[in-house]
Amino acid sequence: MDKAVERAIEYIRRRYGEPLTLAEIADSALLSRFYFTRLFKEETGLTPGRFLAAIRIHQAKRLIETTSMSITDVSFAVGYNSVGSFTNSFTASVGVSPSRFRRLAREGGEGLPGPEPSAWTGFGTVAGTISLPEGHGNAQVYLGAFPTPIVQHPSVAAVVVDVPSGRPSCYSLQDVPEGSWYLLAVAVADGIGPDRRSGRTSLVGGHGVATVAVAADTVTSAAVRLRPSRLSDPPVLLALPELEPPATVVGHPGCASVNPVPAPAGRRRAAGHLRVASAAPAPSR
């Protein structure tokens, strides 16, 4: 990553609670505002202002989950000067209001938002393999299609996949609307060894930096690779289900993709709902 952008991101992460301006962030990188904005977007996929907003919401999630601070105090702590603006931004990015997010976090995350129903009429499938980096145990992966390069509300389709250690696993993301979408993944992977839970790691990834083009009634092939997060990665904002790596996963020897089933005549089709697609074959009875 460019050193100037790295300095700016470190500056944002240190001072997100202050009323930062683009000029101040560009000064921290020792660059002009115009050149800095272009370079920052090339490196991160986001403008400096959007990256700052994501950091603020992510920090708000952390405070809501781990402290008893009031929502008002949280909003001011992360740089908002209006509780209403904070609540609107939080809800739009996370998928639930700050107060509901706190309740869900305390209750174990049941009822977190999946993809929203939509007015799209053409849907396809994205399918391929998910790969873990070396040195990790089994993982559970949330994979979604998003309109922006941030894991934030709303996804247009999503699936949760169990991935075994040491080999790629197949996935099939169905009911993806026509268009170009960012294919983004978040995972929790076990460690390797007798105490696998103690070495758990959060991973992120996706299908490179480009969007995936989806056409109606077709299957688009896309490989997904997970890795440890980087400084330049925008934080995960969407309220996700709790990811629990499985103790045992048996991978399929090959991948098979299935075209989406057409919707009945006269009925509007909804984007794919969150569902678990294990890489292990169904147990025999």
Side-chain angles (χ1 to χ4, degrees), residues 125-228:
T125 295
V126 181
T129 58
I130 301 177
S131 303
L132 303 176
E134 293 184 5
H136 292 82
N138 297 339
Q140 191 165 73
V141 182
Y142 172 94
L143 177 66
F146 295 88
T148 71
I150 305 179
V151 179
Q152 66 175 6
H153 185 73
S155 63
V156 296
V159 67
V160 175
V161 183
D162 292 338
V163 179
S165 172
R167 71 178 75 86
S169 176
C170 304
Y171 77 88
S172 179
L173 182 60
Q174 299 185 22
D175 300 336
V176 185
E178 286 185 287
S180 294
W181 309 103
Y182 290 93
L183 196 61
L184 306 175
V186 181
V188 174
D190 272 335
I192 294 178
D195 190 6
R196 58 186 180 85
R197 293 179 65 93
S198 66
R200 282 192 173 173
T201 305
S202 295
L203 302 170
V204 297
H207 181 65
V209 296
T211 56
V212 174
V214 178
D217 302 318
T218 63
V219 177
T220 301
S221 177
V224 174
R225 294 178 176 82
L226 279 296
R227 56 171 173 75

Side-chain angles (χ1 to χ4, degrees), residues 12-43:
I12 289 172
R13 291 183 181 275
R14 285 196 314 268
R15 303 182 65 175
Y16 61 86
E18 302 175 19
L20 298 179
T21 65
L22 175 59
E24 290 172 326
I25 300 172
D27 286 345
S28 74
L30 306 178
L31 296 173
S32 70
R33 281 183 292 177
F34 176 78
Y35 179 69
F36 167 71
T37 299
R38 187 181 68 180
L39 180 62
F40 192 97
K41 189 167 185 178
E42 288 175 356
E43 291 283 328

